Amino acid sequence: MLGQASIPFVGLVDTVAIGRTGNAAALAGVALGATVTSLIFWTFGFLRMGITGMTAQADGAGKSGEVEALLVRGLVVGGAIGVALLVLLWPLRELAFALFAGGAETTAGARAYVTMRFFGAPAALAVFAVTGWLFGLGRTRAALVLQLVMNAANAAFDVAFVFGFGMGAAGVGLGTALAEWVALSTGLAIVTQIAGAGPLALARKAGSGVLWARSAIAHLFAVNLDLMVRTIALLLLFAWLANAGARIGAVALAAQHVLMQFVNVAAFVLDAFAFTAEARVGAAVGAKSRPRFLRAVRLTSEFSLASAVLLSLASWAAGDLTIALITTDPEVRTAAKHFLPYAALVPLIGLPSWMLDGIFIGATRGKALRNAAIAATTLYIVVDLLLRPLGAQGVWLALWAAYAFRAAGLALQLPALVSGLSAEPSVEGAAKGG
């Protein structure tokens, strides 16, 4: 939970750094730029999710060689995709801003932010693989250290570039990009300590025949292609959400971005249980044990529900003070405070979808995740269009509906997942303490 709670602080620090300047247009620019960057970077979020599930399953089945090979594959694929994104910066950026609404000043800030963020693309995507591998092994303490280092670096760079050099939105983007390179260096040191050797040594140990075996690569891309489609669908959903705020105006978009920091903190904290479910469910599926699977689901869901209640109450109680700390613009503060109750209820509404995501990712049921995400995004857009006359209130109600659609789509497929597991734990699973 501590590790997950620290993840959204990268975005929160970015928001506070620019929000304390009192410039609503600059804050809206960072909001729009962060949406564009997330849309592009997290298209490849399968490097985190797919590696987690496959690592957990390989570990649950006692295949230590495959566990090491998955780390190397993830780093190579992530780094290569990141380099490709950096090369394609100009066309990707121009296409994104041709699709997103926003005033001239907002778009200018967003463009500067995106340009700088892309210099961290290779590191960001490689860190996805490192984080997924750590979660798959249940090494949450190591993941916490990695994230805390990135947060500290990001905060220091943001303060230096925004307040020291007056770089505005571009400084926020550059600070985050540099922090991602610091995080990658830290991550490589951590996995070297855990594995007993660095990625290059692990690659030599496995040999190219094992590392790039056709069956292993086919499985990697079969799982990850579905996760990629699923991620794109969900990113389009949140891009549509950001665009909905931009249509209403810079103040509305800035206020929405401030409140989304509450949502992000809650989502990442509760994802701690979902990620635990990924590792435990993956190990249970690897051992083909229904009892281990059901126990993992029950325990993580119970703790997650209790935490969701506490997070909603905390958001409600400390919301006004937090909004005042994030931004100094009076109009943005007023708008954010008005819609705070909608953000405060998201932990309870979003909880089922986040937990079911973790369960299906751990089981590497990519098709189920893909289909649920596509259906949820499609239905969300329909609801958003129907609720447009309600303005900003309609935007938040449509977001609530999106979480409900995601949960329903996965819940319908849960019985089939359970029925595919053995009612008795395997001998190997029992030996691992299932």
Side-chain angles (χ1 to χ4, degrees):
M1 285 183 67
L2 289 173
Q4 282 302 105
S6 69
I7 290 176
F9 278 90
V10 173
L12 181 58
V13 167
D14 289 348
T15 302
V16 172
I18 204 70
R20 298 298 298 179
T21 65
N23 188 332
L27 178 55
V30 169
L32 190 57
T35 299
V36 169
T37 306
S38 294
L39 176 62
I40 296 172
F41 284 17
W42 274 101
T43 295
F44 307 99
F46 61 77
L47 289 165
R48 208 289 298 160
M49 295 175 288
I51 294 295
T52 296
M54 287 185 286
T55 299
Q57 290 187 25
D59 186 49
K63 300 177 180 178
S64 59
E66 179 62 13
V67 169
E68 295 172 352
L70 281 165
L71 171 63
V72 178
R73 291 186 199 120
L75 286 170
V76 171
V77 173
I81 294 173
V83 170
L85 290 179
L86 184 55
V87 171
L88 296 172
L89 165 61
W90 187 85
L92 290 173
R93 184 189 62 195
E94 297 310 306
L95 175 61
F97 289 112
L99 297 174
F100 284 88
E105 193 174 357
T106 296
T107 302
R111 192 185 301 273
Y113 175 89
V114 169
T115 300
M116 292 300 181
R117 275 297 305 274
F118 263 62
F119 287 102
L125 270 63
V127 168
F128 284 176
V130 171
T131 304
W133 191 77
L134 291 173
F135 280 139
L137 293 178
R139 299 283 189 148
T140 53
R141 187 171 299 173
L144 169 61
V145 171
L146 174 60
Q147 194 59 45
L148 290 178
V149 169
M150 181 173 177
N151 289 343
N154 184 62
F157 288 135
D158 275 2
V159 170
F161 295 141
V162 175
F163 297 108
F165 298 102
M167 293 177 64
V172 173
L174 178 59
T176 305
L178 292 175
E180 285 164 337
W181 283 104
V182 171
L184 177 58
S185 300
T186 304
L188 291 177
I190 289 173
V191 299
T192 297
Q193 182 180 23
I194 291 173
L200 290 177
L202 293 177
R204 288 193 294 268
K205 175 184 174 183
S208 59
V210 172
L211 194 60
W212 306 112
R214 181 175 299 179
S215 59
I217 298 302
H219 180 56
L220 178 70
F221 281 97
V223 172
N224 287 339
L225 180 60
D226 288 327
L227 288 176
M228 183 175 180
V229 174
R230 171 257 185 196
T231 302
I232 291 172
L234 293 181
L235 288 171
L236 287 174
L237 189 158
F238 285 100
W240 186 282
L241 172 67
N243 209 33
R247 284 195 314 268
I248 303 172
V251 170
L253 177 59
Q256 180 178 298
H257 187 62
V258 168
L259 291 177
M260 286 304 293
Q261 305 312 307
F262 290 80
V263 174
N264 289 340
V265 169
F268 277 101
V269 169
L270 295 177
D271 265 348
F273 299 107
F275 290 164
T276 301
E278 288 179 29
R280 300 301 183 187
V281 165
V285 171
K288 297 182 175 60
S289 170
R290 187 185 301 177
R292 289 179 65 182
F293 173 88
L294 294 176
R295 178 174 173 77
V297 171
R298 181 177 65 82
L299 290 177
T300 52
S301 296
E302 288 172 353
F303 279 103
S304 187
L305 177 59
S307 298
V309 172
L310 293 175
L311 284 167
S312 286
L313 292 175
S315 295
W316 209 300
D320 287 357
L321 176 61
T322 306
I323 291 168
L325 290 173
I326 292 175
T327 178
T328 59
D329 186 282
E331 288 185 279
V332 175
R333 282 182 174 180
T334 300
K337 289 177 181 179
H338 180 72
F339 289 102
L340 175 63
Y342 293 88
L345 286 173
V346 168
L348 291 170
I349 296 170
L351 169 64
S353 65
W354 298 328
M355 283 304 306
L356 286 165
D357 266 359
I359 292 166
F360 278 84
I361 289 170
T364 61
R365 296 301 193 269
K367 287 184 174 60
L369 289 158
R370 179 199 65 193
N371 294 341
I374 291 173
T377 299
T378 303
L379 292 171
Y380 159 73
I381 291 173
V382 172
V383 171
D384 179 74
L385 292 173
L386 291 174
L387 295 180
R388 278 190 179 180
L390 297 179
Q393 182 185 25
V395 171
W396 282 100
L397 291 175
L399 177 62
W400 285 2
Y403 286 120
F405 293 144
R406 283 173 61 189
L410 290 173
L412 290 172
Q413 302 177 76
L414 187 59
L417 172 58
V418 176
S419 65
L421 299 173
S422 172
E424 295 296 331
S426 67
V427 174
E428 186 175 33
K432 288 180 73 63

